[in-house]
Amino acid sequence: MDGTTNEGAAGADRYPPAATTVGPRASLVMSLPLGLLLGALSLLVMLPAAQHLRSLQDGERAQATLHTAGSCMAGHCQVKFEAGGRTVIADLPVGSGGGKQSVGASLAVRYQADDPQVAAREEDVGGGGAAVLAALSGGAALLFLTVAAVAAVFLARQRGSEA
């Protein structure tokens, strides 16, 4: 704090200075799995979720109440509504919005006429939220895969110069 250093102090040479950069091997080991995981999230989860939400655009419309609140974007919300003269409790699909609403909140849903268990909030049937998350995770995947590729090229060049 007073501008002095501990250089020359007893025991100061026992601890090497902290590393400030990550080497190319560590970059490759961290970036490649992270890029693949984010790419899989985008391609295998969020894009199909967006397509599923869009498939309900022409579904039957009903007024519903939020039956179970939770993380709707992860598919942990349920709605309760009347369909074909019976009460249905349906899970909202992955990519749904409305997670900040409390239980009992009124909302409009679209559902498949032949299977009312397949329902989504009317605001979500455009697939926008899931599509945005797919694009964000896909972009992040490309970034991490690019870092991994650059690290791999650097390691290959480094090995070539050593040989």
Side-chain angles (χ1 to χ4, degrees):
M1 297 272 226
D2 60 358
T4 61
T5 64
N6 286 336
E7 201 171 308
D13 58 341
R14 276 190 252 163
Y15 302 104
T20 57
T21 61
V22 176
R25 183 163 301 165
S27 294
L28 180 64
V29 167
M30 290 184 293
S31 297
L32 185 60
L34 193 56
L36 293 173
L37 183 66
L38 286 168
L41 173 70
S42 180
L43 292 174
L44 300 176
V45 176
M46 297 316 295
L47 279 179
Q51 290 170 345
H52 173 68
L53 288 169
R54 283 189 208 108
S55 74
L56 293 169
Q57 283 180 332
D58 297 328
E60 300 291 323
R61 186 178 192 280
Q63 275 305 116
T65 57
L66 192 61
H67 180 65
T68 305
S71 176
C72 294
M73 187 58 74
H76 294 280
C77 287
Q78 292 181 325
V79 291
K80 181 179 180 180
F81 59 95
E82 294 289 325
R86 64 183 179 115
T87 302
V88 177
I89 297 176
D91 294 326
L92 291 178
V94 172
S96 297
K100 297 192 191 294
Q101 294 178 330
S102 59
V103 172
S106 181
L107 53 120
V109 295
R110 294 276 180 172
Y111 65 92
Q112 288 181 351
D114 58 339
D115 185 10
Q117 292 290 326
V118 179
R121 285 182 348 133
E122 192 169 41
E123 293 87 15
D124 297 331
V125 294
V132 167
L133 282 177
L136 288 175
S137 63
L142 289 175
L143 173 72
F144 283 111
L145 291 174
T146 301
V147 168
V150 168
V153 168
F154 183 80
L155 281 172
R157 285 186 179 175
Q158 193 176 26
R159 282 194 182 142
S161 67
E162 289 174 358

